[in-house]
Structure formats: structure tokens, C-alpha cells
Amino acid sequence: MSFRHFPLVLAVCAGPLYGQAKQPSTQAVTPTSVTTDCQVGVAEAELVVSDVRAKLYNMGSLFWRDFNDPAYHVPKGSGVDAFYVFGFQMSGLVSTDLRVSANRYGPFQFTPGPLDEAGNAPADCAAFDRIWTVTDQDLQRYDATGIASDNLRDWPANLGAEVIDGDGNPDNYDLAAGDRPRLFGTQTAFWVMNDVGLERSPSQSEPLSIEVQVTAWAIASDDPTFDQATFYRYRVVNRNPTAINDAIVSFFLDGNLGFDWSDDLSGSDSARNLVYIYNAFNEDPNGHGSPTPAMGMRFLDIQAGSATTDYNGGCDDRCDPQSPEEHRYYQTSRWRDGSPLTYGDIGYGGTTPTPFIYPSEPGTYWSMPCLDPNCEVSLTSKLRRLTFSTVAFDLAAGASRDVTFALPFAFGTQNYGPVGNPTGSVQAVKLASDRIQAAFDDGSLFAPVPRPLTLEAPTLLTPADGSLFRLDENETLPTLRWVPVPGAEGYQVAIEIDQGSEVVKRTTYTTEAELVFDDIVPDNTVFAYRWSVEPDGRLPDGTRTAGERSETRAFSLYRFVPGIADNGVGLVEVASASGTDPCADTPNDAGCAGDFDGNTVWHDPDATGDYYISSGGNTGLLGELVLNRALVQEDEVELRFTAACAEPGACLATYLSSRDGEILSVPFEAWYLSDTPDDPADDVRMIPYFRESGDTPITDFADTFTSTDNWADGPGAPITER
């Protein structure tokens, strides 16, 4: 059997919540091999139960993955950021080798999952690409109904997430037997990541072989100190068979306090283990308004060793680090060129080394508004990026170290003023951090803080359950709508996205009774969504309250971009004459497989049985497409038109008059008539094979082709009639 070409010309163009915490178990962690195939995690979650909306990611950077919706919003419903980038960094000596794993803006250095005792990454990092979150409501609902959320059911005690023992067995997690996740505050999130398996730019060193278990939490409170802060514990485990000496943990902070990042100022308070960001002016019209706030970061369980800063561009010796040594410089109060941070002016080129930049009260020497003893020079922009580091410590093989910190936020009556001004925003954030430190010291910062359930469940309006949204250039994304709930200040919209290979869970906060859906769907891919809504608000006494969760509805998005992927040769599965999907009968057909010879032809799920192809290429010309079939001797192919082309003459006229490159449904089937052309019993339905054939427009369709035209199989190759 040989393949010959036939030209076809178409313009186709319930248990105890409190008790003794279990020790983390690792019994189910069985990573087996080092892999270089791990990818940066795509999981994300949000802390949203308090007056903060904080996005969480599991690749070593909080709040920011890329330029698509970074979020650390406080107050929660304001839509105004306080941080932009917040990256985890660590350096240390393995023997005499300086190693660094450091996140700034990417490429990111951490991938999901634990390491085994030899420092090997799991064979399948994607299996750990998840951020687990539990709330007070999850626990209350399970105790009342026995219905567990996915995260409550799957709480990863085997990866280090803490558990309250309810069954007397400290080595398991059995929800039905009474075990519960240890709830810090009102919402607790957990994930695990490691620095093995990814390419090492920009750190440019071997990995440290560390596993990092992260617990993040928020507290719903009538006290703004706790309601407008978030809390984090990074448990760093050395899985390297060798000790890591002189280890330093740092966080890279790129502030974005309010609407205008260019007026952000920074400072430090070594006695408090605190760095902070505040505004140069007391008004931010499109951001936090007036007065402007201050935002801080305070280490709670480890001493700060340095607070350094760097420019964000237009410099050489004080810019982004490019090597392990330069990363280490910023962790140890030095600039990129190795020169020390010095007291006074911008901290560069002076005579007195100092570990903390801008340690004085704003408006006094040495702070950003007062760079000289007479306060004649100020700096009001550009120096807003901080590297805040712990003191150095040693980490033996298999040992762990906790680094716990808080992100306090506060408004004062003004941002800075005379020395000792007790009402400035910087003073307010310092005092807030003191109260948080006291709560950490007495243990109350970790206590569960449940909210009363007083708000009714929202009634969902649109879209209807099971809706399909076919997106193209003429259609908009769906808007999720529900009936407003009396007493609600805002709504947490939980969205579960089934992407085929994985399910992603997200939470988005809105103060409106609707959410304009803005997810990006890859071309010609169906994503299935499930969504529900929970209200939250405050009682008259200021206590934060929560509401019942709505029903869960589903809808699907499909962004249809028809045509061959690269405008080259491709297969097309034509519509079935019966109006059914032709792939249902012949799933092994190449056209049904979706990919052939590097080209893809897509099926539109919003149409019955129709497949699409683009003429592509040849701008301004009529595309020529050639039908390729398996041909036995001189037998013929017959085109059988579908109901979409009941009048073939008029239908084809539409095709032939369309522009080059236009996308149309193929309204026919192709049948090989076999040995007895007049007997339909042995006919075989075929898959047409189209390719472009020349650049000259076809105008005389009646007389253009003859049975001896020279096509791909040489002279004499028979062709179909037009």
C-alpha cells in the first residue's frame, strides 16, 4: 500500500482540638533518588482570615511569583500592597566550600518536597507540590458534620506538620480517631521544600542540601496588632551528610508600601531584631491615604546579625549579587564589592563599619531622612531593598534550626517627626512588634483563635453549575456572583482548578459580592473549576466572625485558538456526518491523538464533532490544502458532507471566498470506497491529511486540476474533483 497525494483546494482558512502536640513523623517520606527533573512548584495559597491577604508560594519566595498578581494586602480589602518580593536565603560552609541558596526575583532555588537522610530529592517532586491550609472553620465543621476538607484529611504529619494527638498514638495522623492538625491562630498553612534538583543560577554554587519546613499563620482578632500581622516559622533541616558551619539565614525584602514604591524608606532596630519600611510622606492618595503606615519584620527566636540594603539599579558595587561570595557579603554587612557597610551618608565608603543600616529614629541622624549630623542631606527613594540576616550558627548533619518571624503593620498619626514621637507609624510598628514578641515568649502567639460562625452561607447566582465558557477574542471571562450576606465585610472565594495533570487550590478575597474571573487558560486546553464562597465580618464588639460556606459549583474554561500549531503539515479529524464525535468510534486515529509530526489540530468542545484547521502561512493568498490518503491502485475517495454543509455548492463557495488564514470547521468526511465503489458496506472512513501547496492563488477551480497534475507522489497521481 502506498501513500499518494490528492489536491483538495479549500479556503480553510470529630475529636479533641487541644492537647499534647505530637512530634513530627517522617514515616511516609520515601524519596528514592536524586533528580534533576524537578520543577519550581506551582502551588499557591493565601492567608485571608485576618485583616491581611498574603499570597503563599512554595519555591522560596513569599507573596510574589511573577508579575501576575503579587499580593501582600493590608488592610485586606484595600488592594494595597505592603511587600513586593520576600525571598528566603541561606548560606554556609560545607567543609571549606561556601554554598548559597538564595531567592530574589528568580530563577528560584527551591523545589517542592523533603530530602532523605542522604540529601537526595524525591523522585517525583510534583507529588509534594502543595500548600496545605486549615482554618478554625475546617475543624468546627468536621467536628459537627464529619465532613473533612481535603487539607484537613491530608494534613502532612509525615512531612513535619504538627498534630494534636487525639488517639494516644504519637506516630500517626488519624483524623477519625481524634487526631487534629495543630492550629496556630485562626488559619495555619504548611509546606516543605528543598534546594536540591534545580539549576543553580543565580547562586552559582552547589546546593546546601537543606530541607525547609514552613509553617505560616494568621490570627483573626479585634486587636489590630495581631489582626494586621502574619507569622512564619522556617524549620531548616540539614540533610547533608556533612555539617553546615557558619550558616546564615536571610530574607530579601523588596518593599512596596502603598501605591508609590519610590517613596519607601527603610530602617532597622537591632535591639528589637527588627527592620521596617515607611513612607517619606504622610499621604499616599491612591494607596493607604493619610496617615501612611509602617511595615516591619521581626525575628522572634533568633538574634539578627545584620540589616543591609542595596540599590535597585544604576550602580555597580552596590547592586544585585552575582556570586556566592557576593550573596554572603550582603548577609554580613558588606556591599557587593566586599567593602563594609559604614556609618553615615548612604553607608558606603565611610570609616566606621556597622552591622545595621539606618538604625536611628526617622528624622534623626543616621536615618534615611537625615544622612548627616546636621540633617542637611536626605534620601527619599531608591534604597528600599533590604537583606535581613540572622547571626551565624552551626548545623550538624541531621540537625534542624527554627527561624520564626512576624510581619507587623501599624498606622500612626504621622510617619516620622521629632525624636521620641510616640505616635509616628514607625513607633507604632515597633510597639506592635514588642507585643508580638511578648506573645511569642509566653506561647500565646501559637494558641488557636477560633471565630464564631454567625453569618449565613452565600447563595450563588452565576455562573450556573456545569457552565462551559468558550473563550476567544470576542468573549470575556466569566464573573462569579452571589447574593450579598448581611453583616459581611468581605468574601473568601475558594477555587479548585483541575488542570488535568494536577489540581491547584486557590483562595481570593473580595469586598464585593462578585469576582471577575481572570485565570489564564492555555490555548486549546479545558480547565475545570469548582468554586465556593465564605463570608467574614465583625460583630458589634469588634470580634471577627465567620460565615458558613456556600454550595460548590463547577464550570469549565476553554480558550480556543484553532489551527495547526506552526502553520505546517498537519492532520485534521473532520466532522462526523451523524453529528457525533468521530474520535468516539476510532480513538486510535492519528487525528484524534491530537499531535502528529510536530503539529497539533484541536477540537472545539463547544461544537458537536467539529474539528478545525487553519490554512496559515501565505499572508494575502488563498491557502491550498492537499488531501493525503492510503490509496490502493486507482480507487477513489468520496467526500460526504455533514449537516453543516447541506448545500455543498453554496457551502464551498463560502469556504473559497474566505481570507487566507481564516479558521473554519471542516464540513465533510472523507471515505475510501475500497474494492467495490458502489457498495457502501466496505467503505472506510479516512482521516484527511492537509498541507500547503504553493504560493499562487487558485482562481479557476473548474479547470485547474487534471488527473495528470504533478503532486507530491509524482506525475499521474490522481486527484479529487473540486
Side-chain angles (χ1 to χ4, degrees):
M1 181 178 294
S2 63
F3 287 89
R4 300 187 182 182
H5 290 82
F6 292 80
L8 172 67
V9 180
L10 289 177
V12 181
C13 314
L17 180 61
Y18 312 113
Q20 180 64 41
K22 295 185 179 184
Q23 295 300 311
S25 166
T26 57
Q27 61 186 19
V29 182
T30 55
T32 57
S33 65
V34 175
T35 177
T36 57
D37 297 327
C38 288
Q39 301 297 316
V40 172
V42 299
E44 62 181 72
E46 291 187 352
L47 297 176
V48 288
V49 299
S50 63
D51 202 20
V52 181
R53 178 197 174 200
K55 281 208 166 191
L56 306 175
Y57 302 103
N58 64 349
M59 74 297 190
S61 179
L62 296 173
F63 321 139
W64 184 90
R65 180 197 299 280
D66 50 36
F67 296 102
N68 181 31
D69 194 25
Y72 191 95
H73 295 166
V74 54
K76 179 169 59 178
S78 66
V80 180
D81 278 315
F83 285 118
Y84 183 52
V85 174
F86 198 99
F88 172 77
Q89 305 179 340
M90 182 168 166
S91 71
L93 295 174
V94 179
S95 296
T96 59
D97 183 23
L98 174 62
R99 299 189 183 184
V100 174
S101 292
N103 278 345
R104 286 165 73 95
Y105 301 98
F108 299 112
Q109 298 286 278
F110 291 84
T111 192
L115 300 176
D116 65 14
E117 292 182 357
N120 297 323
D124 182 11
C125 293
F128 301 95
D129 190 7
R130 185 169 175 183
I131 298 175
W132 293 262
T133 63
V134 292
T135 70
D136 58 329
Q137 295 178 61
D138 293 328
L139 296 170
Q140 292 174 30
R141 290 189 182 112
Y142 180 76
D143 290 339
T145 68
I147 299 173
S149 67
D150 293 345
N151 288 326
L152 180 59
R153 181 195 64 225
D154 302 335
W155 189 245
N158 60 307
L159 299 179
E162 292 194 36
V163 172
I164 299 297
D165 187 11
D167 64 355
N169 182 353
D171 297 321
N172 74 334
Y173 174 66
D174 189 337
L175 185 65
D179 290 342
R180 297 290 183 271
R182 184 184 178 191
L183 184 67
F184 294 179
T186 312
Q187 179 186 15
T188 302
F190 179 88
W191 65 96
V192 63
M193 57 189 181
N194 69 80
D195 72 338
V196 175
L198 291 177
E199 56 89 17
R200 301 301 298 166
S201 174
S203 296
Q204 299 182 11
S205 78
E206 291 297 311
L208 288 155
S209 298
I210 54 172
E211 174 186 316
V212 186
Q213 303 168 7
V214 186
T215 303
W217 69 101
I219 299 171
S221 174
D222 56 0
D223 185 341
T225 291
F226 299 95
D227 200 42
Q228 294 186 327
T230 54
F231 314 93
Y232 307 84
R233 184 185 69 191
Y234 280 62
R235 177 164 289 165
V236 181
V237 185
N238 180 14
R239 299 297 188 193
N240 197 311
T242 302
I244 302 174
N245 294 318
D246 289 327
I248 297 177
V249 168
S250 302
F251 291 88
F252 171 71
L253 287 64
D254 186 344
N256 189 25
L257 187 61
F259 176 74
D260 184 3
W261 56 263
S262 68
D263 67 352
D264 290 353
L265 308 181
S266 60
S268 63
D269 187 330
S270 60
R272 285 185 164 93
N273 293 314
L274 174 74
V275 293
Y276 52 86
I277 300 167
Y278 59 104
N279 288 134
F281 309 105
N282 202 38
E283 186 173 3
D284 187 5
N286 296 311
H288 288 109
S290 180
T292 52
M295 184 82 212
M297 174 187 174
R298 180 162 178 165
F299 288 127
L300 300 174
D301 59 354
I302 189 169
Q303 182 182 344
S306 71
T308 58
T309 187
D310 65 287
Y311 285 94
N312 67 336
C315 60
D316 295 319
D317 298 329
R318 304 181 299 281
C319 285
D320 296 344
Q322 302 296 319
S323 69
E325 291 77 16
E326 291 176 3
H327 278 284
R328 183 77 171 189
Y329 288 158
Y330 279 116
Q331 292 183 310
T332 54
S333 305
R334 286 179 284 177
W335 296 92
R336 179 184 170 186
D337 63 356
S339 60
L341 175 70
T342 55
Y343 199 90
D345 196 47
I346 64 169
Y348 183 81
T351 59
T352 305
T354 182
F356 294 90
I357 198 162
Y358 307 128
S360 301
E361 293 293 331
T364 66
Y365 181 67
W366 177 48
S367 65
M368 286 187 71
C370 183
L371 299 182
D372 66 291
N374 296 322
C375 291
E376 295 175 349
V377 180
S378 64
L379 189 61
T380 58
S381 65
K382 297 295 184 185
L383 278 169
R384 72 191 191 284
R385 308 195 306 182
L386 288 161
T387 298
F388 192 34
S389 306
T390 69
V391 294
F393 56 91
D394 295 334
L395 201 58
S400 65
R401 181 64 182 264
D402 287 355
V403 178
T404 309
F405 61 91
L407 302 180
F409 174 90
F411 286 98
T413 57
Q414 60 185 42
N415 49 2
Y416 63 86
V419 177
N421 178 1
T423 58
S425 294
V426 169
Q427 284 297 317
V429 86
K430 288 183 177 184
L431 294 175
S433 77
D434 289 344
R435 296 187 63 207
I436 290 170
Q437 181 70 60
F440 173 85
D441 293 341
D442 67 21
S444 60
L445 191 66
F446 301 95
V449 182
R451 297 163 294 173
L453 286 171
T454 64
L455 302 176
E456 63 187 41
T459 299
L460 304 186
L461 296 175
T462 59
D465 195 27
S467 297
L468 171 66
F469 293 89
R470 177 183 179 275
L471 306 176
D472 58 28
E473 66 275 10
N474 298 318
E475 295 180 322
T476 58
L477 289 159
T479 298
L480 312 182
R481 293 187 173 91
W482 53 92
V483 176
V485 174
E489 291 184 340
Y491 304 89
Q492 299 166 24
V493 184
I495 301 172
E496 180 181 288
I497 310 169
D498 187 348
Q499 299 180 351
S501 61
E502 61 183 340
V503 176
V504 177
K505 301 177 187 295
R506 297 176 182 164
T507 303
T508 298
Y509 184 83
T510 176
T511 57
E512 306 295 329
E514 66 178 29
L515 178 67
V516 178
F517 202 75
D518 59 356
D519 198 38
I520 298 175
V521 179
D523 293 345
N524 304 294
T525 303
V526 179
F527 279 4
Y529 298 81
R530 290 166 53 84
W531 64 288
S532 60
V533 181
E534 297 179 8
D536 67 12
R538 294 181 186 272
L539 297 176
D541 63 0
T543 301
R544 280 205 166 268
T545 184
E548 295 289 348
R549 182 181 301 160
S550 71
E551 65 171 315
T552 299
R553 286 189 179 179
F555 66 92
S556 297
L557 285 183
Y558 182 83
R559 186 178 300 280
F560 182 60
V561 180
I564 297 178
D566 61 1
N567 292 328
V569 178
L571 287 169
V572 60
E573 182 71 60
V574 300
S576 169
S578 63
T580 61
D581 183 346
C583 290
D585 300 324
T586 54
N588 295 323
D589 284 352
C592 298
D595 185 79
F596 177 78
D597 199 24
N599 300 287
T600 304
V601 179
W602 296 290
H603 175 214
D604 176 8
D606 200 29
T608 303
D610 289 348
Y611 283 70
Y612 289 73
I613 190 171
S614 169
S615 62
N618 303 338
T619 302
L621 302 177
L622 183 68
E624 299 176 36
L625 301 173
V626 178
L627 173 64
N628 180 3
R629 71 173 180 89
L631 180 68
V632 178
Q633 297 178 351
E634 299 298 324
D635 295 319
E636 296 183 0
V637 171
E638 178 177 278
L639 300 182
R640 300 177 184 175
F641 292 93
T642 65
C645 201
E647 298 284 342
C651 180
L652 288 182
T654 300
Y655 278 72
L656 297 176
S657 64
S658 56
R659 300 186 312 276
D660 176 58
E662 186 170 343
I663 310 302
L664 296 171
S665 172
V666 180
F668 57 81
E669 288 181 319
W671 287 79
Y672 165 51
L673 302 185
S674 303
D675 296 330
T676 53
D678 295 330
D679 182 3
D682 62 354
D683 294 352
V684 177
R685 187 177 61 80
M686 299 167 54
I687 296 176
Y689 173 79
F690 291 119
R691 70 174 178 84
E692 294 183 66
S693 176
D695 296 337
T696 304
I698 304 298
T699 56
D700 184 1
F701 295 97
D703 301 321
T704 296
F705 303 118
T706 69
S707 62
T708 58
D709 279 348
N710 186 356
W711 289 94
D713 284 345
I719 63 176
T720 59
E721 301 295 334
R722 83 173 168 90

